[in-house]
Amino acid sequence: MDKETRINTRIFETFPELESERLLFRAYKKDDAQALFNLRSHKDVSKYMDTTIPKQIGDAENKIIDYQNAFEKKKGITWTIIEKSSNSPIGDFGIWRIDRQNSRGEIGYILHPDSWGKGYMTEAFNTLIRFGFNNLNLHSYAANVNTKNENSKALLLKFGFRLEARFREDFYYDGQFLDSEIYCLIKSDLN
């Protein structure tokens, strides 16, 4: 693989703290466990997550350890999204399942409902999608979306992601098989 298509692993030497007009993006700390628990266990957030919902604060602490381990192993980066005006965590954004062979990363993102409708996720996307392309040197992103999550699909389409595939009952969660949709954004789509 030539240098132009290789993942920039130097990003993983020090966690990349970033900021936008109203938001800070930093690594999760142990002190963020309560905020992460409140976020991931909120019924409006967890509705489409199709993953284990934390039942106690220890579950959120373990999730933070998972995020830290993924970064240390150079497999993913998850930022907590901090609202500057309140200095409070309001969500997160991750680039994970980084496929070095194909310079591709999967994204995942959540935002507390109290922060919905304020343009925060648009601001996060503008900052973090470009970071992945320009600094991490990704060629493309994938986003795996619950087919009923219309808000998430609308956000992806707004940023130029395209529906790449729809899989029928490919994912088993909570006692049932679910459909999923895969969206993709290629770096050249931004030009």
Side-chain angles (χ1 to χ4, degrees), residues 131-167:
F131 173 86
F133 284 143
N134 299 332
N135 300 86
L136 188 55
N137 203 29
L138 292 175
H139 172 73
S140 65
Y141 283 108
N144 186 330
V145 181
N146 180 304
T147 59
K148 296 176 184 169
N149 192 342
E150 297 300 327
N151 289 338
S152 186
K153 292 191 288 187
L155 179 68
L156 293 167
L157 292 171
K158 174 181 174 178
F159 276 87
F161 280 75
R162 297 181 191 166
L163 180 61
E164 202 168 63
R166 181 180 175 123
F167 295 106

Side-chain angles (χ1 to χ4, degrees), residues 46 51 115 149 182 189:
S46 63
T51 188
S115 298
N149 192 342
I182 308 299
D189 291 340

Side-chain angles (χ1 to χ4, degrees), residues 28 32-49 51-54 57 60 63-64 67 78-82 88-93 108-116 121:
Y28 269 106
D32 297 320
Q34 185 66 54
L36 181 60
F37 175 79
N38 294 344
L39 176 64
R40 292 183 73 84
S41 64
H42 193 287
K43 66 178 178 57
D44 292 333
V45 173
S46 63
K47 185 169 157 180
Y48 300 119
M49 284 186 3
T51 188
T52 305
I53 308 305
I57 195 77
K63 191 72 172 170
I64 290 171
Y67 292 150
T78 299
W79 290 269
T80 183
I81 301 171
I82 307 294
S88 300
I90 60 169
D92 65 42
F93 187 102
Y109 43 88
I110 50 178
L111 193 66
H112 195 279
D114 292 348
S115 298
W116 290 359
M121 198 51 78

